[in-house]
Amino acid sequence: MGGLAACPQASEPAPESRRDDAPPNPNDKRIVADTADYYVAENGVPNPPKEPPTPNTGRPDESNGNCRLFAPELSEPECCTRQLGLDVEVVKRACGLKLYLGESFHATCGYYFLPDAEASGAPPTWFRLSLVRGADAREAAEAHDLFTRRLASDPNFRSVPIPGLAGAYWSEQDDLHWAFLPGWSVVRQFTWQTGACSDEGIREILEHLVDAPEIPAGSPRLSKIPGQPPAPPPTAAG
């Protein structure tokens, strides 16, 4: 990645989250492949869905009234547990993606897109956000580096500062990329795959995430689409 003068790794999550993203090493039993995405297994044992997908799995669904739900292969997908500052329109503009499929939570919060409505046969492009432990982004990145060096047996793996984005760090390994972001009282980790977006587009997303006002845990959602303004209240029939 042109602007990514960095290395890769996986960090540990904040107390309210489960273990965070880790490199998709096929020999690492913590990783469970799920179509074009990947999730983290629990207790070192792969945890693919044990039940057939529900009828709405793999299709955008707003019938829950809370979010636009989408998951490639989860038997019981759920909306993200916390709003983390992502703006769907910023991602679409920055990465040239036309269709927002929805979100789902499984270890981390995943957001899914397609280039256009005609690309229904293509795997969705995903981005993931999570909260990770650390007093600041540097500490979170260092914990991620230590974990990844052990996992990948790569003593040279290291996150580096993001040029022009004060206090932020990023790293990469194989086709995975991570960024650790300042700006909130908790550190957020943003994860993406090579080819999901241009370097310039990723930078635009990261800058917006850093500048986004913090949304306290438990805040009611204003919209089913992250970043979308709340729908106007219904007007009384005249």
Side-chain angles (χ1 to χ4, degrees):
M1 188 169 198
L4 259 177
C7 314
Q9 195 229 342
S11 86
E12 298 181 6
E16 61 188 290
S17 173
R18 287 178 280 179
R19 183 183 293 278
D20 213 76
D21 297 326
N25 182 338
N27 297 319
D28 181 1
K29 298 306 181 184
R30 286 168 298 184
I31 301 304
V32 178
D34 181 7
T35 64
D37 202 350
Y38 72 92
Y39 303 120
V40 181
E42 295 185 49
N43 303 320
V45 179
N47 60 344
K50 295 180 176 61
E51 300 177 1
T54 57
N56 287 329
T57 296
R59 295 202 304 266
D61 176 20
E62 296 187 2
S63 62
N64 59 78
N66 189 40
C67 76
R68 179 178 295 175
L69 194 60
F70 178 86
E73 284 185 20
L74 290 179
S75 59
E76 296 293 339
E78 300 176 357
C79 295
C80 294
T81 56
R82 181 171 176 178
Q83 301 169 82
L84 296 175
L86 187 95
D87 189 319
V88 163
E89 291 304 317
V90 169
V91 176
K92 288 167 64 177
R93 179 180 67 245
C95 302
L97 299 165
K98 304 300 183 185
L99 183 63
Y100 173 61
L101 296 171
E103 68 183 57
S104 56
F105 181 83
H106 191 83
T108 60
C109 188
Y111 306 88
Y112 302 86
F113 299 80
L114 284 176
D116 54 60
E118 304 300 320
S120 57
T125 295
W126 56 262
F127 303 93
R128 303 197 75 87
L129 267 169
S130 58
L131 303 180
V132 291
R133 292 190 181 99
D136 54 26
R138 178 179 179 178
E139 183 176 297
E142 288 175 347
H144 168 86
D145 292 351
L146 179 61
F147 179 78
T148 301
R149 284 197 291 270
R150 293 172 177 169
L151 179 67
S153 300
D154 180 3
N156 297 315
F157 178 84
R158 186 165 286 101
S159 299
V160 299
I162 301 178
L165 200 56
Y169 290 78
W170 59 8
S171 52
E172 63 178 280
Q173 185 177 63
D174 300 326
D175 71 337
L176 279 182
H177 304 256
W178 301 270
F180 300 87
L181 305 175
W184 286 21
S185 61
V186 288
V187 180
R188 291 162 296 162
Q189 175 180 291
F190 184 71
T191 307
W192 70 100
Q193 276 187 307
T194 298
C197 191
S198 67
D199 292 2
E200 295 77 13
I202 290 294
R203 179 175 290 278
E204 182 177 348
I205 294 171
L206 298 181
E207 289 173 349
H208 183 273
L209 285 168
V210 169
D211 292 340
E214 182 166 356
I215 305 171
S219 298
R221 294 184 69 128
L222 301 179
S223 170
K224 297 176 184 177
I225 309 299
Q228 183 173 298
T235 57

